[in-house]
Amino acid sequence: MPDGGATYSSPTPPSSCLPPLGKPARAMIDLAALRKDPAFFRQAWAARGAAVDLDALLALDQQVRELKTGFETAKAEVNTASKAIAMAAKSGQDVHAAKDKARQLGDHAKAIDEQREALEKQLHDLLLHLPNPCLASVPVGKDSGDNKTVAEWGTKPTFSFAPKAHWDLGPALGIMDFDRAAKLSGSGFVVLRGAGAKLARALISWFLDVHTTAHGYTELAVPYLVQPGPMQGTGQLPKFGDQLYKCAHDELYLIPTAEVPVTNYHAGEILEAAQLPVKYTAHTPCFRREAGAAGIGTRGMTRVHQFDKVEIVWLTKPENSDADLLTLRGHAESLLQQLGLHYRVLELCTGDTGFSSAHTYDLEVWSAGTNSWLEVSSCSTFTDFQARRANLRYRPAAGEKPHFVHTINGSGLALPRCLIALLETYQQADGSVIVPPVLRSYLGGLERIGGKS
RNA sequence: GGAGAGGUGGCUGAGCGGUUGAAGGCACCGGUUUCGAAAACCGGCAUUGGGGAAACUCAAUCGGGGGUUCGAAUCCCCCCCUCUCCGCCA
């Protein structure tokens, strides 16, 4: 069984390019590995609470493979017959009988292939719903109650007055407008105005500047609308399509996170080992339907249909991905530290780890106004799960076969919840808000929002 | 939106019904030559799956899907993508 440093091996990269429209997504898990070590997958999925009938799966796989060999044998006969016809025709012989015979052979092969196709589709549909196995080091647990707090930074701010929530503070300062946002777009939207809008812009610029200078990322400005291929690549489609906004007249989706265009940026390519790790950062708005989330933490701008986020993404070598995840997490954490915001780090348990992720740390910032923790970043390694679907490979050395990279990403950071924490943490008795020093140069030297200036 | 041209191996680029899984070139690997390198020359070099200890062998793959045919990269239909020109608009 693999330890934390290695997942199942992936010796069989597929050769085709991006999954084209209409073609079922590539399997997220390696069937060859599944055959070889079913016990590993059995326990990995059990740990996640995923009900998987592995025996049925393997039996189906076995049938498919038998039909495949049956077809190949039959097809080989057809090919032999066809070649004989070509030769005979060339020398002027009568080929009518031979053609009839070949047609029969062809029909037989086709019949077998149709059976294979039906079963293989069944198999594929099953595979699509299997989550990425977690790393062996991930704590086993049922749900968010079993997540482990692995770090905590700073302390809860104290106040000589009753701290307000951002949905009171923001409108009172004239920097957030929920009512008019609803007039424009319905519930789940916000209009930032004046210093609020500028503060958001300052956060974005500052985040990007830190990542591109101190942390060594290359900034990308990417499309916000993408085709189905990239959505399949990172795992949003087909399973989570109901969370996406889709254009009515075009096969285009609004991205729910910059992860989609950024991770898929190199889809279908074979990178050189020397290029790795590839590190990108990008700011984009994120669009999420939040279907089914009505009523859960929907007040204010905690959970909205559109928000800004700076994402950080790595494409890295499999042997480095575990260590790289910690580095990436550190990059996200350093932002919170420089903002002086109290936060904690959770290591998600097997039951709470996202579908495509193998290991996730959540950064949660303290919301003083609501006495709760808010997730501002989810830092995950996807091992080769996304790379397999997006066909993201690298060549370990010249002349060697390409291998899948590992993908890692996290927010660095999500805007609304940072804004919330910032306003609530730095609010003053008079309702004004002190601007953290690192942001002041982005705000023309502004030190305080609201109050007497 | 209108008109046209295309999508072939790591890249480039021929092929347009039959020993074509696919010429040529580049890149890459091995060898000869050289003190060494370059150049030149010789050889090798797609992916996936099945069988085999191996040599090897069988099948599938020329954007995706379907059709015609004994046989399709080549012919027909649908879809996707890219490019060029015109129109429209920032």
PDB file of all heavy atoms in Angstrom, chain B residues 39-51:
ATOM      1  P     A B  39      25.710  18.711 -35.903  1.00  0.00           P
ATOM      2  OP1   A B  39      24.429  19.418 -36.090  1.00  0.00           O
ATOM      3  OP2   A B  39      25.738  17.377 -35.278  1.00  0.00           O
ATOM      4  O5'   A B  39      26.445  18.620 -37.305  1.00  0.00           O
ATOM      5  C5'   A B  39      26.495  19.746 -38.188  1.00  0.00           C
ATOM      6  C4'   A B  39      27.397  19.435 -39.356  1.00  0.00           C
ATOM      7  O4'   A B  39      28.730  19.150 -38.864  1.00  0.00           O
ATOM      8  C3'   A B  39      27.013  18.187 -40.147  1.00  0.00           C
ATOM      9  O3'   A B  39      26.014  18.455 -41.102  1.00  0.00           O
ATOM     10  C2'   A B  39      28.345  17.808 -40.789  1.00  0.00           C
ATOM     11  O2'   A B  39      28.640  18.624 -41.904  1.00  0.00           O
ATOM     12  C1'   A B  39      29.321  18.131 -39.651  1.00  0.00           C
ATOM     13  N9    A B  39      29.566  16.968 -38.786  1.00  0.00           N
ATOM     14  C8    A B  39      29.029  16.696 -37.561  1.00  0.00           C
ATOM     15  N7    A B  39      29.445  15.563 -37.027  1.00  0.00           N
ATOM     16  C5    A B  39      30.324  15.062 -37.977  1.00  0.00           C
ATOM     17  C6    A B  39      31.104  13.894 -38.016  1.00  0.00           C
ATOM     18  N6    A B  39      31.124  12.993 -37.038  1.00  0.00           N
ATOM     19  N1    A B  39      31.855  13.683 -39.119  1.00  0.00           N
ATOM     20  C2    A B  39      31.836  14.606 -40.102  1.00  0.00           C
ATOM     21  N3    A B  39      31.141  15.750 -40.174  1.00  0.00           N
ATOM     22  C4    A B  39      30.410  15.916 -39.079  1.00  0.00           C
ATOM     23  P     A B  40      24.944  17.317 -41.494  1.00  0.00           P
ATOM     24  OP1   A B  40      24.038  17.883 -42.514  1.00  0.00           O
ATOM     25  OP2   A B  40      24.398  16.774 -40.238  1.00  0.00           O
ATOM     26  O5'   A B  40      25.846  16.191 -42.162  1.00  0.00           O
ATOM     27  C5'   A B  40      26.484  16.427 -43.419  1.00  0.00           C
ATOM     28  C4'   A B  40      27.376  15.257 -43.766  1.00  0.00           C
ATOM     29  O4'   A B  40      28.426  15.136 -42.766  1.00  0.00           O
ATOM     30  C3'   A B  40      26.679  13.903 -43.744  1.00  0.00           C
ATOM     31  O3'   A B  40      25.973  13.643 -44.928  1.00  0.00           O
ATOM     32  C2'   A B  40      27.859  12.954 -43.527  1.00  0.00           C
ATOM     33  O2'   A B  40      28.591  12.756 -44.718  1.00  0.00           O
ATOM     34  C1'   A B  40      28.708  13.763 -42.533  1.00  0.00           C
ATOM     35  N9    A B  40      28.368  13.455 -41.142  1.00  0.00           N
ATOM     36  C8    A B  40      27.523  14.143 -40.301  1.00  0.00           C
ATOM     37  N7    A B  40      27.407  13.623 -39.101  1.00  0.00           N
ATOM     38  C5    A B  40      28.237  12.512 -39.153  1.00  0.00           C
ATOM     39  C6    A B  40      28.549  11.537 -38.195  1.00  0.00           C
ATOM     40  N6    A B  40      28.065  11.522 -36.953  1.00  0.00           N
ATOM     41  N1    A B  40      29.407  10.563 -38.555  1.00  0.00           N
ATOM     42  C2    A B  40      29.909  10.559 -39.796  1.00  0.00           C
ATOM     43  N3    A B  40      29.690  11.433 -40.790  1.00  0.00           N
ATOM     44  C4    A B  40      28.832  12.393 -40.397  1.00  0.00           C
ATOM     45  P     C B  41      24.593  12.874 -44.872  1.00  0.00           P
ATOM     46  OP1   C B  41      23.968  12.992 -46.214  1.00  0.00           O
ATOM     47  OP2   C B  41      23.852  13.316 -43.681  1.00  0.00           O
ATOM     48  O5'   C B  41      25.040  11.368 -44.651  1.00  0.00           O
ATOM     49  C5'   C B  41      25.845  10.707 -45.626  1.00  0.00           C
ATOM     50  C4'   C B  41      26.419   9.445 -45.043  1.00  0.00           C
ATOM     51  O4'   C B  41      27.281   9.774 -43.907  1.00  0.00           O
ATOM     52  C3'   C B  41      25.405   8.481 -44.444  1.00  0.00           C
ATOM     53  O3'   C B  41      24.755   7.700 -45.427  1.00  0.00           O
ATOM     54  C2'   C B  41      26.281   7.651 -43.516  1.00  0.00           C
ATOM     55  O2'   C B  41      27.062   6.706 -44.232  1.00  0.00           O
ATOM     56  C1'   C B  41      27.203   8.733 -42.944  1.00  0.00           C
ATOM     57  N1    C B  41      26.682   9.295 -41.687  1.00  0.00           N
ATOM     58  C2    C B  41      26.930   8.595 -40.484  1.00  0.00           C
ATOM     59  O2    C B  41      27.591   7.552 -40.520  1.00  0.00           O
ATOM     60  N3    C B  41      26.444   9.092 -39.314  1.00  0.00           N
ATOM     61  C4    C B  41      25.731  10.222 -39.317  1.00  0.00           C
ATOM     62  N4    C B  41      25.283  10.662 -38.148  1.00  0.00           N
ATOM     63  C5    C B  41      25.453  10.938 -40.519  1.00  0.00           C
ATOM     64  C6    C B  41      25.944  10.446 -41.663  1.00  0.00           C
ATOM     65  P     C B  42      23.270   7.237 -45.182  1.00  0.00           P
ATOM     66  OP1   C B  42      22.763   6.690 -46.461  1.00  0.00           O
ATOM     67  OP2   C B  42      22.526   8.323 -44.505  1.00  0.00           O
ATOM     68  O5'   C B  42      23.441   6.044 -44.148  1.00  0.00           O
ATOM     69  C5'   C B  42      24.155   4.862 -44.517  1.00  0.00           C
ATOM     70  C4'   C B  42      24.224   3.921 -43.338  1.00  0.00           C
ATOM     71  O4'   C B  42      25.046   4.512 -42.292  1.00  0.00           O
ATOM     72  C3'   C B  42      22.902   3.652 -42.643  1.00  0.00           C
ATOM     73  O3'   C B  42      22.100   2.704 -43.322  1.00  0.00           O
ATOM     74  C2'   C B  42      23.382   3.156 -41.279  1.00  0.00           C
ATOM     75  O2'   C B  42      23.851   1.831 -41.340  1.00  0.00           O
ATOM     76  C1'   C B  42      24.553   4.103 -41.023  1.00  0.00           C
ATOM     77  N1    C B  42      24.124   5.310 -40.263  1.00  0.00           N
ATOM     78  C2    C B  42      23.989   5.199 -38.876  1.00  0.00           C
ATOM     79  O2    C B  42      24.229   4.118 -38.328  1.00  0.00           O
ATOM     80  N3    C B  42      23.592   6.282 -38.159  1.00  0.00           N
ATOM     81  C4    C B  42      23.339   7.422 -38.790  1.00  0.00           C
ATOM     82  N4    C B  42      22.948   8.466 -38.051  1.00  0.00           N
ATOM     83  C5    C B  42      23.457   7.558 -40.203  1.00  0.00           C
ATOM     84  C6    C B  42      23.855   6.486 -40.896  1.00  0.00           C
ATOM     85  P     G B  43      20.510   2.874 -43.246  1.00  0.00           P
ATOM     86  OP1   G B  43      19.931   1.858 -44.156  1.00  0.00           O
ATOM     87  OP2   G B  43      20.176   4.300 -43.433  1.00  0.00           O
ATOM     88  O5'   G B  43      20.181   2.469 -41.743  1.00  0.00           O
ATOM     89  C5'   G B  43      20.355   1.122 -41.323  1.00  0.00           C
ATOM     90  C4'   G B  43      20.231   1.026 -39.816  1.00  0.00           C
ATOM     91  O4'   G B  43      21.173   1.944 -39.193  1.00  0.00           O
ATOM     92  C3'   G B  43      18.904   1.446 -39.224  1.00  0.00           C
ATOM     93  O3'   G B  43      17.891   0.473 -39.382  1.00  0.00           O
ATOM     94  C2'   G B  43      19.292   1.643 -37.763  1.00  0.00           C
ATOM     95  O2'   G B  43      19.483   0.410 -37.107  1.00  0.00           O
ATOM     96  C1'   G B  43      20.655   2.334 -37.923  1.00  0.00           C
ATOM     97  N9    G B  43      20.484   3.797 -37.883  1.00  0.00           N
ATOM     98  C8    G B  43      20.547   4.694 -38.927  1.00  0.00           C
ATOM     99  N7    G B  43      20.335   5.933 -38.550  1.00  0.00           N
ATOM    100  C5    G B  43      20.114   5.839 -37.179  1.00  0.00           C
ATOM    101  C6    G B  43      19.832   6.851 -36.222  1.00  0.00           C
ATOM    102  O6    G B  43      19.716   8.068 -36.394  1.00  0.00           O
ATOM    103  N1    G B  43      19.680   6.313 -34.948  1.00  0.00           N
ATOM    104  C2    G B  43      19.782   4.986 -34.636  1.00  0.00           C
ATOM    105  N2    G B  43      19.596   4.655 -33.356  1.00  0.00           N
ATOM    106  N3    G B  43      20.051   4.032 -35.514  1.00  0.00           N
ATOM    107  C4    G B  43      20.203   4.530 -36.751  1.00  0.00           C
ATOM    108  P     G B  44      16.376   0.962 -39.420  1.00  0.00           P
ATOM    109  OP1   G B  44      15.563  -0.227 -39.761  1.00  0.00           O
ATOM    110  OP2   G B  44      16.281   2.178 -40.251  1.00  0.00           O
ATOM    111  O5'   G B  44      16.090   1.369 -37.910  1.00  0.00           O
ATOM    112  C5'   G B  44      16.203   0.389 -36.869  1.00  0.00           C
ATOM    113  C4'   G B  44      16.039   1.045 -35.522  1.00  0.00           C
ATOM    114  O4'   G B  44      17.048   2.083 -35.355  1.00  0.00           O
ATOM    115  C3'   G B  44      14.734   1.797 -35.321  1.00  0.00           C
ATOM    116  O3'   G B  44      13.663   0.935 -34.995  1.00  0.00           O
ATOM    117  C2'   G B  44      15.091   2.732 -34.164  1.00  0.00           C
ATOM    118  O2'   G B  44      15.108   2.048 -32.934  1.00  0.00           O
ATOM    119  C1'   G B  44      16.523   3.120 -34.539  1.00  0.00           C
ATOM    120  N9    G B  44      16.559   4.389 -35.284  1.00  0.00           N
ATOM    121  C8    G B  44      16.773   4.578 -36.629  1.00  0.00           C
ATOM    122  N7    G B  44      16.746   5.840 -36.977  1.00  0.00           N
ATOM    123  C5    G B  44      16.501   6.520 -35.794  1.00  0.00           C
ATOM    124  C6    G B  44      16.354   7.906 -35.535  1.00  0.00           C
ATOM    125  O6    G B  44      16.429   8.853 -36.327  1.00  0.00           O
ATOM    126  N1    G B  44      16.090   8.155 -34.187  1.00  0.00           N
ATOM    127  C2    G B  44      15.990   7.197 -33.215  1.00  0.00           C
ATOM    128  N2    G B  44      15.734   7.618 -31.982  1.00  0.00           N
ATOM    129  N3    G B  44      16.131   5.896 -33.435  1.00  0.00           N
ATOM    130  C4    G B  44      16.378   5.638 -34.740  1.00  0.00           C
ATOM    131  P     C B  45      12.205   1.331 -35.538  1.00  0.00           P
ATOM    132  OP1   C B  45      11.333   0.188 -35.225  1.00  0.00           O
ATOM    133  OP2   C B  45      12.312   1.843 -36.915  1.00  0.00           O
ATOM    134  O5'   C B  45      11.805   2.557 -34.585  1.00  0.00           O
ATOM    135  C5'   C B  45      11.850   2.436 -33.171  1.00  0.00           C
ATOM    136  C4'   C B  45      11.672   3.791 -32.551  1.00  0.00           C
ATOM    137  O4'   C B  45      12.796   4.658 -32.891  1.00  0.00           O
ATOM    138  C3'   C B  45      10.473   4.567 -33.058  1.00  0.00           C
ATOM    139  O3'   C B  45       9.289   4.143 -32.424  1.00  0.00           O
ATOM    140  C2'   C B  45      10.852   6.006 -32.693  1.00  0.00           C
ATOM    141  O2'   C B  45      10.676   6.269 -31.325  1.00  0.00           O
ATOM    142  C1'   C B  45      12.350   6.001 -33.000  1.00  0.00           C
ATOM    143  N1    C B  45      12.673   6.503 -34.360  1.00  0.00           N
ATOM    144  C2    C B  45      12.763   7.879 -34.563  1.00  0.00           C
ATOM    145  O2    C B  45      12.566   8.638 -33.597  1.00  0.00           O
ATOM    146  N3    C B  45      13.061   8.352 -35.797  1.00  0.00           N
ATOM    147  C4    C B  45      13.261   7.509 -36.801  1.00  0.00           C
ATOM    148  N4    C B  45      13.555   8.020 -37.990  1.00  0.00           N
ATOM    149  C5    C B  45      13.169   6.106 -36.637  1.00  0.00           C
ATOM    150  C6    C B  45      12.870   5.639 -35.410  1.00  0.00           C
ATOM    151  P     A B  46       7.976   4.008 -33.293  1.00  0.00           P
ATOM    152  OP1   A B  46       7.486   2.637 -33.254  1.00  0.00           O
ATOM    153  OP2   A B  46       8.226   4.677 -34.593  1.00  0.00           O
ATOM    154  O5'   A B  46       6.961   4.899 -32.451  1.00  0.00           O
ATOM    155  C5'   A B  46       7.375   6.139 -31.926  1.00  0.00           C
ATOM    156  C4'   A B  46       6.147   6.894 -31.478  1.00  0.00           C
ATOM    157  O4'   A B  46       5.280   7.091 -32.622  1.00  0.00           O
ATOM    158  C3'   A B  46       5.287   6.132 -30.473  1.00  0.00           C
ATOM    159  O3'   A B  46       5.734   6.366 -29.159  1.00  0.00           O
ATOM    160  C2'   A B  46       3.908   6.730 -30.736  1.00  0.00           C
ATOM    161  O2'   A B  46       3.771   7.992 -30.122  1.00  0.00           O
ATOM    162  C1'   A B  46       3.934   6.891 -32.250  1.00  0.00           C
ATOM    163  N9    A B  46       3.414   5.729 -32.972  1.00  0.00           N
ATOM    164  C8    A B  46       4.109   4.839 -33.735  1.00  0.00           C
ATOM    165  N7    A B  46       3.354   3.895 -34.277  1.00  0.00           N
ATOM    166  C5    A B  46       2.073   4.207 -33.823  1.00  0.00           C
ATOM    167  C6    A B  46       0.835   3.592 -34.039  1.00  0.00           C
ATOM    168  N6    A B  46       0.659   2.514 -34.805  1.00  0.00           N
ATOM    169  N1    A B  46      -0.236   4.144 -33.432  1.00  0.00           N
ATOM    170  C2    A B  46      -0.056   5.217 -32.669  1.00  0.00           C
ATOM    171  N3    A B  46       1.054   5.892 -32.396  1.00  0.00           N
ATOM    172  C4    A B  46       2.104   5.326 -33.015  1.00  0.00           C
ATOM    173  P     U B  47       5.524   5.233 -28.073  1.00  0.00           P
ATOM    174  OP1   U B  47       6.280   5.676 -26.877  1.00  0.00           O
ATOM    175  OP2   U B  47       5.783   3.916 -28.679  1.00  0.00           O
ATOM    176  O5'   U B  47       3.976   5.338 -27.751  1.00  0.00           O
ATOM    177  C5'   U B  47       3.430   6.538 -27.230  1.00  0.00           C
ATOM    178  C4'   U B  47       1.929   6.453 -27.214  1.00  0.00           C
ATOM    179  O4'   U B  47       1.447   6.325 -28.576  1.00  0.00           O
ATOM    180  C3'   U B  47       1.356   5.229 -26.523  1.00  0.00           C
ATOM    181  O3'   U B  47       1.336   5.388 -25.120  1.00  0.00           O
ATOM    182  C2'   U B  47      -0.034   5.168 -27.131  1.00  0.00           C
ATOM    183  O2'   U B  47      -0.878   6.148 -26.569  1.00  0.00           O
ATOM    184  C1'   U B  47       0.258   5.540 -28.577  1.00  0.00           C
ATOM    185  N1    U B  47       0.472   4.361 -29.432  1.00  0.00           N
ATOM    186  C2    U B  47      -0.651   3.672 -29.858  1.00  0.00           C
ATOM    187  O2    U B  47      -1.774   3.995 -29.545  1.00  0.00           O
ATOM    188  N3    U B  47      -0.412   2.593 -30.664  1.00  0.00           N
ATOM    189  C4    U B  47       0.819   2.125 -31.075  1.00  0.00           C
ATOM    190  O4    U B  47       0.869   1.139 -31.804  1.00  0.00           O
ATOM    191  C5    U B  47       1.935   2.874 -30.586  1.00  0.00           C
ATOM    192  C6    U B  47       1.733   3.942 -29.800  1.00  0.00           C
ATOM    193  P     U B  48       1.515   4.126 -24.221  1.00  0.00           P
ATOM    194  OP1   U B  48       1.685   4.624 -22.849  1.00  0.00           O
ATOM    195  OP2   U B  48       2.513   3.223 -24.825  1.00  0.00           O
ATOM    196  O5'   U B  48       0.076   3.440 -24.338  1.00  0.00           O
ATOM    197  C5'   U B  48      -1.074   4.116 -23.872  1.00  0.00           C
ATOM    198  C4'   U B  48      -2.315   3.382 -24.283  1.00  0.00           C
ATOM    199  O4'   U B  48      -2.414   3.379 -25.738  1.00  0.00           O
ATOM    200  C3'   U B  48      -2.353   1.901 -23.937  1.00  0.00           C
ATOM    201  O3'   U B  48      -2.683   1.671 -22.587  1.00  0.00           O
ATOM    202  C2'   U B  48      -3.424   1.403 -24.896  1.00  0.00           C
ATOM    203  O2'   U B  48      -4.707   1.791 -24.471  1.00  0.00           O
ATOM    204  C1'   U B  48      -3.062   2.185 -26.159  1.00  0.00           C
ATOM    205  N1    U B  48      -2.151   1.420 -27.033  1.00  0.00           N
ATOM    206  C2    U B  48      -2.725   0.475 -27.863  1.00  0.00           C
ATOM    207  O2    U B  48      -3.922   0.260 -27.881  1.00  0.00           O
ATOM    208  N3    U B  48      -1.844  -0.213 -28.665  1.00  0.00           N
ATOM    209  C4    U B  48      -0.466  -0.054 -28.713  1.00  0.00           C
ATOM    210  O4    U B  48       0.191  -0.744 -29.480  1.00  0.00           O
ATOM    211  C5    U B  48       0.044   0.950 -27.815  1.00  0.00           C
ATOM    212  C6    U B  48      -0.792   1.629 -27.029  1.00  0.00           C
ATOM    213  P     G B  49      -2.136   0.335 -21.917  1.00  0.00           P
ATOM    214  OP1   G B  49      -2.471   0.452 -20.491  1.00  0.00           O
ATOM    215  OP2   G B  49      -0.747   0.075 -22.341  1.00  0.00           O
ATOM    216  O5'   G B  49      -3.054  -0.795 -22.566  1.00  0.00           O
ATOM    217  C5'   G B  49      -4.443  -0.846 -22.254  1.00  0.00           C
ATOM    218  C4'   G B  49      -5.122  -1.856 -23.134  1.00  0.00           C
ATOM    219  O4'   G B  49      -4.929  -1.493 -24.524  1.00  0.00           O
ATOM    220  C3'   G B  49      -4.573  -3.265 -23.079  1.00  0.00           C
ATOM    221  O3'   G B  49      -4.995  -3.974 -21.930  1.00  0.00           O
ATOM    222  C2'   G B  49      -5.138  -3.848 -24.364  1.00  0.00           C
ATOM    223  O2'   G B  49      -6.519  -4.097 -24.249  1.00  0.00           O
ATOM    224  C1'   G B  49      -4.918  -2.671 -25.314  1.00  0.00           C
ATOM    225  N9    G B  49      -3.617  -2.800 -25.982  1.00  0.00           N
ATOM    226  C8    G B  49      -2.454  -2.114 -25.723  1.00  0.00           C
ATOM    227  N7    G B  49      -1.465  -2.482 -26.498  1.00  0.00           N
ATOM    228  C5    G B  49      -2.011  -3.461 -27.312  1.00  0.00           C
ATOM    229  C6    G B  49      -1.430  -4.234 -28.348  1.00  0.00           C
ATOM    230  O6    G B  49      -0.265  -4.203 -28.775  1.00  0.00           O
ATOM    231  N1    G B  49      -2.338  -5.124 -28.911  1.00  0.00           N
ATOM    232  C2    G B  49      -3.644  -5.251 -28.526  1.00  0.00           C
ATOM    233  N2    G B  49      -4.370  -6.153 -29.174  1.00  0.00           N
ATOM    234  N3    G B  49      -4.206  -4.539 -27.566  1.00  0.00           N
ATOM    235  C4    G B  49      -3.330  -3.672 -27.007  1.00  0.00           C
ATOM    236  P     G B  50      -4.107  -5.182 -21.393  1.00  0.00           P
ATOM    237  OP1   G B  50      -4.711  -5.605 -20.114  1.00  0.00           O
ATOM    238  OP2   G B  50      -2.690  -4.777 -21.447  1.00  0.00           O
ATOM    239  O5'   G B  50      -4.323  -6.319 -22.476  1.00  0.00           O
ATOM    240  C5'   G B  50      -5.593  -6.934 -22.598  1.00  0.00           C
ATOM    241  C4'   G B  50      -5.564  -7.986 -23.668  1.00  0.00           C
ATOM    242  O4'   G B  50      -5.233  -7.398 -24.945  1.00  0.00           O
ATOM    243  C3'   G B  50      -4.507  -9.071 -23.518  1.00  0.00           C
ATOM    244  O3'   G B  50      -4.851 -10.030 -22.540  1.00  0.00           O
ATOM    245  C2'   G B  50      -4.500  -9.658 -24.927  1.00  0.00           C
ATOM    246  O2'   G B  50      -5.633 -10.468 -25.154  1.00  0.00           O
ATOM    247  C1'   G B  50      -4.615  -8.382 -25.765  1.00  0.00           C
ATOM    248  N9    G B  50      -3.295  -7.911 -26.196  1.00  0.00           N
ATOM    249  C8    G B  50      -2.581  -6.842 -25.725  1.00  0.00           C
ATOM    250  N7    G B  50      -1.427  -6.689 -26.319  1.00  0.00           N
ATOM    251  C5    G B  50      -1.378  -7.728 -27.238  1.00  0.00           C
ATOM    252  C6    G B  50      -0.378  -8.096 -28.179  1.00  0.00           C
ATOM    253  O6    G B  50       0.711  -7.543 -28.400  1.00  0.00           O
ATOM    254  N1    G B  50      -0.730  -9.213 -28.901  1.00  0.00           N
ATOM    255  C2    G B  50      -1.900  -9.906 -28.758  1.00  0.00           C
ATOM    256  N2    G B  50      -2.053 -10.964 -29.545  1.00  0.00           N
ATOM    257  N3    G B  50      -2.843  -9.579 -27.894  1.00  0.00           N
ATOM    258  C4    G B  50      -2.517  -8.491 -27.175  1.00  0.00           C
ATOM    259  P     G B  51      -3.698 -10.704 -21.665  1.00  0.00           P
ATOM    260  OP1   G B  51      -4.366 -11.563 -20.662  1.00  0.00           O
ATOM    261  OP2   G B  51      -2.744  -9.652 -21.239  1.00  0.00           O
ATOM    262  O5'   G B  51      -2.964 -11.635 -22.722  1.00  0.00           O
ATOM    263  C5'   G B  51      -3.616 -12.777 -23.248  1.00  0.00           C
ATOM    264  C4'   G B  51      -2.749 -13.450 -24.268  1.00  0.00           C
ATOM    265  O4'   G B  51      -2.530 -12.559 -25.384  1.00  0.00           O
ATOM    266  C3'   G B  51      -1.343 -13.795 -23.814  1.00  0.00           C
ATOM    267  O3'   G B  51      -1.296 -14.958 -23.010  1.00  0.00           O
ATOM    268  C2'   G B  51      -0.645 -13.988 -25.166  1.00  0.00           C
ATOM    269  O2'   G B  51      -1.003 -15.219 -25.747  1.00  0.00           O
ATOM    270  C1'   G B  51      -1.266 -12.846 -25.969  1.00  0.00           C
ATOM    271  N9    G B  51      -0.414 -11.652 -25.894  1.00  0.00           N
ATOM    272  C8    G B  51      -0.566 -10.559 -25.062  1.00  0.00           C
ATOM    273  N7    G B  51       0.372  -9.669 -25.237  1.00  0.00           N
ATOM    274  C5    G B  51       1.190 -10.204 -26.229  1.00  0.00           C
ATOM    275  C6    G B  51       2.370  -9.696 -26.833  1.00  0.00           C
ATOM    276  O6    G B  51       2.949  -8.627 -26.602  1.00  0.00           O
ATOM    277  N1    G B  51       2.876 -10.565 -27.792  1.00  0.00           N
ATOM    278  C2    G B  51       2.323 -11.766 -28.139  1.00  0.00           C
ATOM    279  N2    G B  51       2.954 -12.457 -29.071  1.00  0.00           N
ATOM    280  N3    G B  51       1.218 -12.259 -27.581  1.00  0.00           N
ATOM    281  C4    G B  51       0.717 -11.423 -26.642  1.00  0.00           C
TER     282        G B  51
END
